[in-house]
Amino acid sequence: MTKAFYLLNFLFCFFFAACNDDLPQYEEKSFLLLNESTLLFDETGGEKTLSVFSNTSWAITGANEWCHLSANSGSDSLKVVITVDPNQSKEERVCELLFETDQVENTKVSVSQKAFSQIEEEEELSNDYPDMRQISSLELSKLMGIGWNVGNSLEALLSQNGVFSGNETSWGNAKISQQLIDSVKAAGFNTVRVPVSWSHKLIDKDTYTIDPEWLSRVEEVVGYIVSNQMYAIINIHWDGGWMDHPFYNKQAEINNKIEALWIQIAEHFIEYNDYLLFAGTNEVHVENNWNAPSKENAEVQNSFNQTFVDAVRLTGARNKLRHLVIQGYNTNIDHTIKHFVLPSDVVESKLMVEVHFYDPYDFALQEDSNFKTQWGAPFAGGDVPNWGQESWVNEAFLKMKTKFVNNNIPVVLGEYGALLRTNLQSGQQEHIDARNYYLEYVTNAALENGIVPVYWDNGYAGNNGFGLFKRSNGSSVYPDAIHSIMKRNK
């Protein structure tokens, strides 16, 4: 029998006794009864009415910031409206309401609400936008293959008295063309990372409004890529270094700019399918300081990543489902392992982590006289660095696999490579062979650990360059290096 039945039975007996002078008189008993002991809400929230039957004073405790009451006390029977806010979290939540009175035993009502159903929302969005496939970022990463950077082009800047200007040819590269991208595709690459600077193309520096012509040019390059059924990644690259101040006193200012730029970029590209990915930043670190981050540096840089994700999702539609690439501190593997915090997101499994790799430095990047010309076990005893050999590569990539890939968070190796030294007095062929071995080994070590390798090409094919293709016509400059990158992948 329900509490309501007992209540009605009690009231009937009381009424009958009161109307019959011949019957013994009973002392009125205090009571407090409720028509429900549990209230269940879905994730959208809403209102439900709770009927309180009572003849004594009572009060309710336990309401909180998401569970609201139309009344929290009374002295007799009353209807109390329970209002529950939408649940945006991934966890079910419960609010215990306690009805207290001095006269009778306290009564409890449990208000529970289902978790936010991201899967259902994603399915609805995917039905609206079937070109945004219902696949996780980990699944997408397995389709991206080997990538290539069209570097030193759309991020090229000129500086005069601290003021930046320039165009994509400012650093000596020819304009990006469909012919170039077609050649990259034909060589076996399936992803193109497009570094972009934006601050030198603002028509309003107070509101960070991007010149529409610049957005159109970036879109034109993206079109070259996705028309080849290749994956395109666009970012905010170095951009003059305005993000390289990860300090609390700069945090709000930088986040405001990140938000303003990414809302515009995301809205401009909102019609593109999931072959287009956004990457929030690049190698954010303290300017001219390559050491490990302080707690402050790491926290602020992680906030940049969260602002990026929130800004893109805010634009809705396809961008609610777009795969986003998030950078570790300075894109350094060890700093990422120790300090990276994956941003919260309103959709499931649509984030990737980005790191870069140029180890060992004295072989891969160093240009002064202390550089090394050879690398790896086949060249042991030669001009090889005393660190950063095959085991180092394996260990570094295994760290990323263990922490991220094994936990369904894919990893993009957004940049890697080694300088080609063409002016050696001796050992030129050995250097070429060692560099090709390095490119082959690092590429395949990444693939074996579930990481997407994206070779850094700065367009320069001379001494200390990374160029693989002639930017003016797309012809391959070093087919042996391309072959090494693709070797085990074929």
Side-chain angles (χ1 to χ4, degrees), residues 13 32 35-36 109 152 154 272 283 289 299 331 457 487:
C13 292
L32 188 149
N35 67 326
E36 298 286 352
V109 172
N152 287 20
L154 294 181
Y272 280 76
E283 297 173 350
N289 184 340
E299 285 183 359
T331 58
D457 187 325
K487 191 172 181 181

Side-chain angles (χ1 to χ4, degrees), residues 246-247 282-287 289-294 296-302 305 327-337 339-340 354-355:
F247 301 105
N282 185 46
E283 297 173 350
V284 173
H285 62 287
V286 176
E287 189 173 28
N289 184 340
W290 307 100
N291 297 322
S294 67
E296 177 183 16
N297 302 152
E299 285 183 359
V300 174
Q301 189 263 344
N302 280 320
N305 290 336
Q327 293 65 43
Y329 185 87
N330 199 24
T331 58
N332 174 281
I333 288 177
D334 286 333
H335 300 340
T336 302
I337 293 293
H339 301 285
F340 179 83
E354 179 181 355
V355 291

Side-chain angles (χ1 to χ4, degrees), residues 281-412:
T281 63
N282 185 46
E283 297 173 350
V284 173
H285 62 287
V286 176
E287 189 173 28
N288 298 320
N289 184 340
W290 307 100
N291 297 322
S294 67
K295 179 176 181 289
E296 177 183 16
N297 302 152
E299 285 183 359
V300 174
Q301 189 263 344
N302 280 320
S303 81
F304 298 166
N305 290 336
Q306 185 66 63
T307 296
F308 158 64
V309 172
D310 292 344
V312 172
R313 299 303 186 217
L314 184 65
T315 62
R318 289 175 177 82
N319 289 333
K320 199 76 172 285
L321 295 171
R322 193 167 306 284
H323 300 270
L324 306 179
V325 185
I326 316 298
Q327 293 65 43
Y329 185 87
N330 199 24
T331 58
N332 174 281
I333 288 177
D334 286 333
H335 300 340
T336 302
I337 293 293
K338 187 173 182 180
H339 301 285
F340 179 83
V341 175
L342 189 72
S344 61
D345 199 2
V346 296
V347 290
E348 290 275 9
S349 305
K350 299 292 184 181
L351 303 180
M352 303 183 178
V353 178
E354 179 181 355
V355 291
H356 297 170
F357 188 83
Y358 292 104
D359 290 347
Y361 173 79
D362 44 357
F363 174 76
L365 279 181
Q366 192 165 342
E367 296 184 28
D368 64 28
S369 59
N370 294 318
F371 65 74
K372 298 293 184 179
T373 62
Q374 298 171 25
W375 182 87
F379 302 91
D383 188 29
V384 174
N386 59 10
W387 72 289
Q389 301 303 296
E390 289 96 333
S391 61
W392 179 273
V393 177
N394 297 339
E395 181 181 348
F397 293 172
L398 182 59
K399 289 178 185 176
M400 296 301 293
K401 180 178 186 293
T402 301
K403 186 172 180 67
F404 296 108
V405 179
N406 288 353
N407 290 297
N408 299 316
I409 304 168
V411 174
V412 175

Side-chain angles (χ1 to χ4, degrees), residues 83-271:
T83 304
V84 169
D85 296 336
N87 188 1
Q88 297 295 329
S89 75
K90 303 176 185 178
E91 303 294 333
E92 180 181 347
R93 55 190 182 182
V94 177
C95 175
E96 298 286 355
L97 300 178
L98 183 64
F99 288 72
E100 298 178 289
T101 174
D102 294 334
Q103 304 299 320
V104 295
E105 183 179 354
N106 295 339
T107 303
K108 185 180 293 186
V109 172
S110 178
V111 179
S112 61
Q113 185 179 27
K114 293 181 179 179
F116 175 60
S117 178
Q118 295 174 321
I119 294 176
E120 290 180 9
E121 183 182 14
E122 288 175 39
E123 288 177 350
E124 291 176 3
L125 283 168
S126 295
N127 290 335
D128 293 336
Y129 307 106
D131 52 352
M132 304 298 287
R133 293 164 290 180
Q134 293 188 51
I135 58 176
S136 68
S137 287
L138 185 64
E139 292 170 312
L140 187 83
S141 71
K142 296 174 183 179
L143 305 174
M144 293 172 70
I146 297 174
W148 175 84
N149 275 272
V150 57
N152 287 20
S153 288
L154 294 181
E155 83 276 32
L157 297 175
L158 297 175
S159 177
Q160 185 174 8
N161 299 322
V163 178
F164 291 98
S165 61
N167 288 291
E168 65 181 287
T169 59
S170 294
W171 289 351
N173 282 324
K175 290 186 68 174
I176 302 166
S177 66
Q178 183 72 66
Q179 184 180 26
L180 170 64
I181 302 302
D182 290 349
S183 298
V184 173
K185 173 70 172 181
F189 295 96
N190 199 45
T191 293
V192 178
R193 181 173 179 257
V194 186
V196 186
S197 286
W198 306 90
S199 295
H200 66 313
K201 296 293 185 181
L202 300 181
I203 59 176
D204 187 329
K205 290 182 170 56
D206 293 328
T207 60
Y208 310 116
T209 304
I210 303 169
D211 186 342
E213 290 187 8
W214 186 241
L215 281 164
S216 295
R217 175 54 185 157
V218 176
E219 182 179 9
E220 189 173 19
V221 173
V222 168
Y224 300 155
I225 300 165
V226 298
S227 66
N228 265 314
Q229 292 295 294
M230 303 168 77
Y231 293 91
I233 304 173
I234 60 175
N235 71 355
I236 299 177
H237 211 65
W238 173 63
D239 204 21
W242 56 271
M243 276 185 276
D244 288 342
H245 305 279
F247 301 105
Y248 295 137
N249 64 351
K250 289 285 188 178
Q251 184 173 6
E253 175 187 346
I254 295 173
N255 274 318
N256 287 340
K257 186 172 181 178
I258 291 171
E259 180 182 51
L261 293 178
W262 270 114
I263 286 176
Q264 292 174 78
I265 298 165
E267 287 179 342
H268 186 86
F269 288 93
I270 201 166
E271 299 298 329

